[in-house]
Amino acid sequence: VLVDVALTPRDLAGVDLRERCALVVDVLRASTSIVAALDHGCPRVIPVATPAEARARARTLDGTVLLGGERDGERIPGFDLGNSPLEYTAGRVSGRPVVLTTTNGTRALLAAQAAPETGVAAFVNADAAAAWAASRHRDLVVVCAGERDGLALEDVAAAGLVVERVARLLARVRLTDAAIVARVTGERYGVDLDRLRADAAWARRLAGKGYEADLAACLTLATSTLVPWMVDGALVPFDNDAARPSRRASA
Amino acid sequence: VLVDVALTPRDLAGVDLRERCALVVDVLRASTSIVAALDHGCPRVIPVATPAEARARARTLDGTVLLGGERDGERIPGFDLGNSPLEYTAGRVSGRPVVLTTTNGTRALLAAQAAPETGVAAFVNADAAAAWAASRHRDLVVVCAGERDGLALEDVAAAGLVVERVARLLARVRLTDAAIVARVTGERYGVDLDRLRADAAWARRLAGKGYEADLAACLTLATSTLVPWMVDGALVPFDNDAARPSRRASA
């Protein structure tokens, strides 16, 4: 199994997704919020590119649907939810689908849909995402959503932790040079995720906007056993422990 | 001082070079060969894009000029020299300019010429390149030549060592997220460059072609005090120890 990492959205242009399994990483905060939503009973998260598209899509769904997302880190005017994982509580999202649009995360998800199997990874579900990827029996590419077209340190670190775990789970893996760079970064920060608060530019920016509690929620390892994965254009929960789509998904 | 790293040629597209000092890294092997050439008395290396352009440029120079370069790692038919640092001996290059074209290195150099000051870094001159960059009093971008459009692990590791050294030399530096990823990679491999023989895809490929001796020559730290830097479209030697362009350059 070949394991590759697209360190930035630009690098994704060079990756042939057709035979691959893809994992999209946007630690701060879309990936973490999507995991939180599904963990709290949201049946599906539908990623779309723009706020206008989100409103249009919501109109095609029944009245339980929620609008979520951000631009420049802030909730979009008129939306029900922003992009904080702390907002995606059972009280808000249980039983309700969410249409989500964010600056980097949903863009990467829509691009990665070209893969036959696409999942979502963050620090909070790194172990589960690695187990899911290892069970696919396909070459893997981990896609870092990054910041605009550039690199986001926290995404590379989380991608690297997933790579390191996949390499431990599978006997024969071959890492590309980019996957090795990610793994080295993941190993460095995995032992102390709090260092990302100082080192990662977007973490500093979020702290400056008053989102310290979000940083605590996002820079935490393996609190979820769930992997959001794409089925018919929506992210639904996959639970490795159940070795099949979780009951929440099929309920 | 802001320190950034373009991890791949693609990333260079996002960098505004106009006010920056640039260091181009192509460890295997163009950067190392250029350092070797200037260390052995070659007065200047002229990077060009294509073999045809190399021949045309050589015709405008006197008969002492040498043609150097590779495609797919092999010497270009009819050229005097390939891209092995071991070929650039005093016996071959002393007193003779070299017109050089390589797959990745010269392409990156030509792109990085948009910066007001452009130098060349490799493992063999990492300390010197860092000292040169730190003395420029400009923001720095280290440009990894990579392999085709993708990432080359050895270039990221060498770029990271330069970043780490610049950060030690200057009191106030700010690293971008990409520069931190490179630094972490440089710290990991800097203590044992031989690990790149197994881990870096292009190193394995060169070994398969029989270039093990080149790997030994390229994966060696700080054997040169010289920095090739761009003056009027040619790379000439700068010697930090002399704190001015070296006598070779002005001779």
Side-chain angles (χ1 to χ4, degrees):
Chain A
V1 171
L2 179 70
V3 176
D4 194 10
V5 174
L7 298 171
T8 67
R10 273 191 211 100
D11 292 336
L12 190 56
V15 176
D16 183 353
L17 289 166
R18 281 173 301 176
E19 304 293 323
R20 309 281 186 92
C21 153
L23 273 173
V24 174
V25 179
D26 185 5
V27 168
L28 297 175
R29 296 167 290 169
S31 287
T32 312
S33 293
I34 293 166
V35 172
L38 300 189
D39 256 334
H40 290 128
C42 166
R44 61 188 188 281
V45 173
I46 301 158
V48 299
T50 65
E53 199 177 335
R55 291 190 185 90
R57 177 67 68 92
R59 280 193 294 271
T60 69
L61 301 169
D62 74 31
T64 64
V65 68
L66 294 167
L67 285 169
E70 56 73 32
R71 285 300 179 270
D72 199 28
E74 304 297 343
R75 181 191 304 199
I76 296 162
F79 274 40
D80 304 293
L81 300 156
N83 193 29
S84 164
L86 301 174
E87 296 178 82
Y88 290 77
T89 59
R92 296 304 304 276
V93 303
S94 183
R96 304 182 69 170
V98 172
V99 179
L100 183 74
T101 180
T102 73
T103 310
N104 304 300
T106 56
R107 184 181 60 160
L109 272 165
L110 295 170
Q113 273 197 98
E117 300 188 285
T118 305
V120 171
F123 285 121
V124 293
N125 74 336
D127 287 335
W132 176 80
S135 69
R136 300 294 95 193
H137 304 293
R138 289 180 191 270
D139 290 344
L140 168 67
V141 57
V142 187
V143 178
C144 299
E147 169 57 13
R148 309 286 166 179
D149 283 337
L151 182 148
L153 180 61
E154 67 279 9
D155 291 346
V156 175
L161 281 184
V162 170
V163 167
E164 184 264 332
R165 282 154 169 72
V166 169
R168 269 198 279 139
L169 289 168
L170 296 177
R172 297 188 67 81
V173 291
R174 193 159 51 87
L175 305 189
T176 64
D177 282 15
I180 292 175
V181 166
R183 191 187 60 186
V184 169
T185 306
E187 287 169 353
R188 170 69 63 97
Y189 285 97
V191 294
D192 184 5
L193 294 186
D194 270 342
R195 284 179 53 183
L196 289 167
R197 291 169 184 250
D199 289 358
W202 183 242
R204 294 194 299 269
R205 184 100 182 276
L206 283 173
K209 288 168 171 283
Y211 287 115
E212 286 92 349
D214 281 22
L215 295 181
C218 294
L219 302 178
T220 304
L221 266 178
T223 55
S224 174
T225 60
L226 180 152
V227 185
W229 70 317
M230 194 77 81
V231 176
D232 296 334
L235 293 159
V236 300
F238 183 97
D239 193 324
N240 289 292
D241 291 347
R244 56 182 169 69
S246 77
R247 267 166 297 183
R248 272 192 209 115
S250 50
Chain B
V1 171
L2 179 71
V3 176
D4 193 10
V5 173
L7 298 171
T8 67
R10 272 192 211 98
D11 291 337
L12 190 56
V15 176
D16 183 354
L17 288 166
R18 281 173 301 177
E19 304 293 323
R20 309 282 186 93
C21 152
L23 273 173
V24 174
V25 179
D26 185 6
V27 167
L28 297 174
R29 297 165 290 168
S31 288
T32 312
S33 293
I34 293 166
V35 172
L38 299 190
D39 256 334
H40 290 127
C42 167
R44 61 188 190 283
V45 174
I46 302 158
V48 300
T50 66
E53 199 177 335
R55 292 191 185 90
R57 178 66 69 91
R59 282 193 292 271
T60 69
L61 300 169
D62 74 33
T64 64
V65 67
L66 294 167
L67 285 170
E70 56 73 32
R71 284 300 180 271
D72 200 27
E74 305 297 343
R75 182 191 304 198
I76 296 162
F79 273 39
D80 303 294
L81 300 157
N83 193 28
S84 164
L86 301 174
E87 296 178 81
Y88 290 77
T89 59
R92 296 304 304 278
V93 304
S94 183
R96 304 182 68 171
V98 172
V99 178
L100 184 74
T101 180
T102 73
T103 310
N104 304 301
T106 56
R107 183 181 60 160
L109 272 165
L110 294 171
Q113 274 197 97
E117 299 188 286
T118 305
V120 171
F123 284 121
V124 292
N125 75 335
D127 288 334
W132 176 79
S135 69
R136 300 293 96 192
H137 304 292
R138 291 180 190 270
D139 290 344
L140 167 67
V141 57
V142 187
V143 178
C144 298
E147 169 57 14
R148 310 285 167 178
D149 283 337
L151 182 148
L153 180 60
E154 68 278 9
D155 291 345
V156 175
L161 280 184
V162 170
V163 167
E164 183 264 333
R165 283 154 169 70
V166 169
R168 270 198 277 140
L169 289 168
L170 296 177
R172 297 188 67 81
V173 292
R174 195 160 52 88
L175 305 189
T176 64
D177 283 15
I180 292 175
V181 166
R183 192 187 58 184
V184 168
T185 307
E187 288 169 352
R188 170 70 64 99
Y189 285 97
V191 294
D192 184 5
L193 294 186
D194 270 342
R195 283 180 55 184
L196 289 167
R197 291 170 184 251
D199 289 358
W202 183 242
R204 293 194 300 270
R205 184 101 181 277
L206 282 174
K209 289 168 171 282
Y211 287 114
E212 286 91 349
D214 281 21
L215 294 181
C218 294
L219 303 179
T220 303
L221 265 178
T223 55
S224 174
T225 60
L226 180 152
V227 185
W229 71 317
M230 193 79 79
V231 177
D232 296 334
L235 293 158
V236 299
F238 183 96
D239 193 325
N240 289 292
D241 292 346
R244 54 181 170 70
S246 77
R247 267 166 295 184
R248 273 193 207 114
S250 50

